[in-house]
Amino acid sequence: MPELPEVETLVRQLRPLIVGRRILGATLSHDNILDGVTKRTLLRALPGRQITAVERRAKHALVWMGDRVLAVQPGMSGSLLRFSRALTAAQQDYAVLRCQLDDGSWLVYRDVRRIGTIRWLDASGWDAYAARLGPEPLDPEFTAEEFASRLGNSTAAIKKALMNQRVVVGVGNIYANEALFAAGIRPSRRAHQVARKRLQALHGEVRRILAAAIASEGSTIRDYRSSAGEAGSFQDQLYVYGRGGAPCRSCGASLTSTHAIDNRATVYCKMCQK
DNA sequence: ACGAGGTCCTGCGAGC
DNA sequence: TGCTCGCAGGACCTCG
């Protein structure tokens, strides 16, 4: 399930391979992943465009073509893949958008569950869209004070607030669980009731864990694969996610698993997280 | 402004 | 063996 580290990984891997390439042609198997653009418009717009930059913002991979951007939001099972030659039958499974590039390679958006979204925007359209997004957690200018005041404004459960992309971007279910464990905060605590010092500590843990996950090229849980089709390894460093009922790696108590917050899998240690 | 619940979608594993 | 069902979940929606 691509969160910030997984999208950052695929962007880093794709960038040197596709920047400068020109799109020769494109096909789309399902148009229900498109938002704000029709299949007809997109497939007419792509051919002939040159890829000029590949960036990440929040959980979006941005493929810039001059002043236009293909903004790919992988949802939970989506990924951007690059194949050096024509796709085999197996590689075509779940390939939603396929772009043939001018060096004979293919840029493919693959999405088993098709919960992802693809947008086609000009620069001002992207700016308007991005205005709804919160700050980047790894931005050096994003301070613990700003993080704490943004979270502290919310009366929702802190885990839900942490996953709210308007508060701070990039943190999904896996890393929210992990960061709250590392900071010793129970996920159900109301954000505005958590001590300021704890919120500031959480800022550090979010950044530390996201950076470590990027260094491990993301977590591979079920569907996620990098742009080269490879698995990340951060799943081996998870302390709570997916470990309900198993012993806490810190104190040994049995980890609690619940769906009480926003109907999402939440795992925590009732001894270590208050 | 919050929580609860629904929606999209398919694969997988548990249970009968 | 073969079926049904619940779950996985990011982001958005409506309703109360």
Side-chain angles (χ1 to χ4, degrees):
Chain A
M1 35 219 75
E3 302 179 27
L4 186 153
E6 290 75 33
V7 179
E8 179 66 27
T9 297
L10 71 86
V11 162
R12 287 183 184 185
Q13 293 177 344
L14 278 177
R15 185 180 292 131
L17 297 173
I18 67 170
V19 168
R21 300 275 64 80
R22 197 171 291 278
I23 294 175
L24 301 181
T27 62
L28 185 77
S29 66
H30 295 78
D31 57 7
N32 57 350
I33 63 150
L34 299 179
D35 180 34
V37 63
T38 64
K39 173 177 180 175
R40 178 186 173 92
T41 298
L42 181 65
L43 294 185
R44 284 188 175 194
L46 289 175
R49 302 248 180 201
Q50 185 176 33
I51 296 169
T52 51
V54 180
E55 299 173 341
R56 179 192 61 76
R57 172 75 170 101
K59 301 175 189 173
H60 305 259
L62 306 178
V63 181
W64 285 96
M65 303 169 209
D67 66 346
R68 287 264 168 179
V69 64
L70 190 72
V72 177
Q73 186 177 23
M76 73 161 289
S77 59
S79 188
L80 272 178
L81 302 165
R82 186 261 187 189
F83 298 97
S84 56
R85 56 182 72 87
L87 280 63
T88 65
Q91 288 167 341
Q92 290 180 39
D93 285 347
Y94 312 109
V96 181
L97 176 66
R98 302 175 218 187
C99 299
Q100 185 177 21
L101 306 183
D102 61 359
D103 63 351
S105 69
W106 292 75
L107 177 63
V108 173
Y109 178 65
R110 178 184 190 271
D111 193 343
V112 172
R113 279 167 250 187
R114 296 203 302 278
I115 287 179
T117 303
I118 291 179
R119 298 177 175 86
W120 176 246
L121 300 163
D122 60 21
S124 65
W126 169 252
D127 287 345
Y129 178 83
R132 297 183 294 170
L133 298 173
E136 287 286 334
L138 293 177
D139 183 341
E141 295 177 11
F142 182 50
T143 63
E145 288 69 28
E146 184 185 356
F147 177 82
S149 47
R150 285 179 159 266
L151 273 179
N153 280 336
S154 174
T155 60
I158 190 164
K159 177 163 178 271
K160 187 171 180 183
L162 185 57
M163 292 172 65
N164 183 342
Q165 302 297 295
R166 290 171 181 264
V167 174
V168 61
V169 301
V171 183
N173 199 41
I174 297 174
Y175 300 113
N177 276 299
E178 293 299 312
L180 288 167
F181 174 79
I185 302 169
R186 195 166 294 202
S188 56
R189 287 280 302 280
R190 307 288 116 183
H192 70 118
Q193 291 175 340
V194 177
R196 200 81 175 177
K197 276 184 78 172
R198 285 262 171 200
L199 292 178
Q200 295 184 358
L202 180 61
H203 170 266
E205 297 297 349
V206 165
R207 287 160 62 105
R208 180 183 65 77
I209 288 168
L210 291 178
I214 291 170
S216 297
E217 303 192 325
S219 302
T220 294
I221 313 277
R222 300 183 188 83
D223 302 306
Y224 170 76
R225 288 293 185 278
S226 71
S227 64
E230 291 165 359
S233 64
F234 193 73
Q235 67 277 7
D236 301 331
Q237 300 173 51
L238 299 176
Y239 280 74
V240 288
Y241 182 84
R243 299 192 65 245
C248 171
R249 295 198 202 279
S250 177
C251 77
S254 178
L255 294 175
T256 302
S257 181
T258 174
H259 282 78
I261 302 169
D262 212 21
N263 205 27
R264 308 289 297 279
T266 297
V267 186
Y268 66 96
C269 176
K270 59 182 183 296
M271 303 301 289
C272 298
Q273 292 171 264
K274 303 296 183 186

